[in-house]
Amino acid sequence: MHTAFFVLLSASVARYLARHADGPHTPWVIALSALLAALYVLGPALGTRPTPRRLTWLGLVVTAWALLVVLAPSFAWCAVPLFYTGLRTLPPRAAIPLVALLTALAVATQLGLAGWPDPNVLLAPPAVAAVATTVFVVMQRQAARQEVLIDDLVRTRRELAATERREGTLAERERLAREIHDTLAQGLSSQRMLLQAADRLWETAPGTAHDHVRTAAAIAERSLAEARRFVHDLTPADLAGGGGLLQALRAVAERETTPGLTVRVHTEGSPSVPLPAPVESALLRIAQGALANVREHAAATTATLTLTCLDDQIVLDVTDDGRGFDPRTPPPTGAAPAGARGHGLPAIRARLRQLGGTLTIESAPGEGTALSAAIPLEPR
């Protein structure tokens, strides 16, 4: 639009000099043309908001142009860029009357030049002004709507990012709670039980008490290794050696085997694809949590870990011959100290839910318990 203005201004000056070079108004036309060009150049530096300086500048530009049109009607074509200048500077309620005024002045001078009511002169300038004003107003409204949409989008993205951060933080806290429960909390619980048993037998059966203390020390050593691994990268220590899930389950079964509880491991089939690290870690933690429940609540003599590898899923079954329970009945209030237990099964369900797996529990009072955790595997 700036280029169009200077092209039209230069063409008007050239036309006037070609026809009226010796006219009495030539010096005034040249001076006003130079003044109008200089004023127009200053416009971008004043911004587009209707500040007092911008309004003063607009008034000077319109005045200089009006004087030029009175002296030389051919300068009326410069009105089209000035339409947009006024529309950019003033609100629509003030800009539209200014456009109408500029159009009326252009029509009046052109009619004086034609000498008769030329229909082209009467209709063309108002039509051009109407089209220019309509295009500008519509584009301005679209730009305003687009700006609102962009602001809403940016705000929505910020809110979504904040929500995702909060959800990620909560999910990470929940995962850390499960990791702590399945490693450190279980180890501390076992140590407490062993040390309490050692304290009761210290005088009557010192050999057995010493065995309990040594077992507690071994559990403390494993818990320390878990804590260090936990701080490092949260990978189970039994899987860190690279022996795989089966070897890790056997190590867990060996540690959990005591004079009163025998833990066995069976496998059926072999995985068709390498198990992802999250699946191996989840199954190992599930086995540890289930055996902790067997040790503390089932009063069982035998527990079995069965790892079944199918084409589309891997299943871990944990069975025992303990006292069993009714899965539909919640544990009685006061069965354990507040906050001490009760996180095992919810933690197992949460682990499986994250991997798209399912948990099935079959048990009845006096008939033992069978826990089955199935995790789907993606085909190669």
Side-chain angles (χ1 to χ4, degrees), residues 240-264:
L245 177 61
L246 182 58
Q247 182 176 343
L249 290 176
R250 288 171 176 166
V252 171
E254 183 179 353
R255 289 198 304 267
E256 294 293 337
T257 297
T258 62
L261 176 64
T262 302
V263 181
R264 301 186 179 93

Side-chain angles (χ1 to χ4, degrees), residues 128-203:
V128 172
V131 171
T133 303
T134 302
V135 169
F136 181 86
V137 171
V138 170
M139 291 180 62
Q140 193 175 39
R141 290 178 180 176
Q142 290 180 346
R145 286 195 295 267
Q146 185 178 11
E147 185 176 359
V148 172
L149 291 175
I150 292 175
D151 292 340
D152 291 342
L153 177 60
V154 171
R155 183 172 60 254
T156 302
R157 291 181 62 182
R158 290 176 180 173
E159 294 175 354
L160 179 61
T163 302
E164 290 178 347
R165 285 195 296 270
R166 288 194 298 269
E167 292 179 352
T169 301
L170 294 176
E172 183 67 11
R173 289 177 179 175
E174 182 180 355
R175 186 173 70 91
L176 293 178
R178 293 195 301 268
E179 293 288 342
I180 292 174
H181 171 270
D182 293 340
T183 55
L184 303 182
Q186 290 180 1
L188 292 173
S189 177
S190 300
Q191 293 173 49
R192 182 189 64 180
M193 295 174 59
L194 289 169
L195 293 176
Q196 288 175 348
D199 182 63
R200 291 192 299 268
L201 300 175
W202 194 263
E203 298 293 338

Side-chain angles (χ1 to χ4, degrees), residues 245-331:
L245 177 61
L246 182 58
Q247 182 176 343
L249 290 176
R250 288 171 176 166
V252 171
E254 183 179 353
R255 289 198 304 267
E256 294 293 337
T257 297
T258 62
L261 176 64
T262 302
V263 181
R264 301 186 179 93
V265 177
H266 295 299
T267 60
E268 296 182 6
S270 58
S272 58
V273 296
L275 294 179
V279 173
E280 290 188 338
S281 177
L283 291 176
L284 179 61
R285 295 305 190 202
I286 290 171
Q288 290 175 329
L291 291 177
N293 288 338
V294 171
R295 182 181 64 248
E296 297 185 23
H297 304 294
T301 59
T302 303
T304 303
L305 301 176
T306 303
L307 187 65
T308 304
C309 302
L310 305 176
D311 293 336
D312 57 347
Q313 64 178 348
I314 184 167
V315 182
L316 175 66
D317 296 317
V318 183
T319 59
D320 66 77
D321 60 355
R323 60 170 62 99
F325 68 101
D326 186 356
R328 298 169 297 179
T329 303

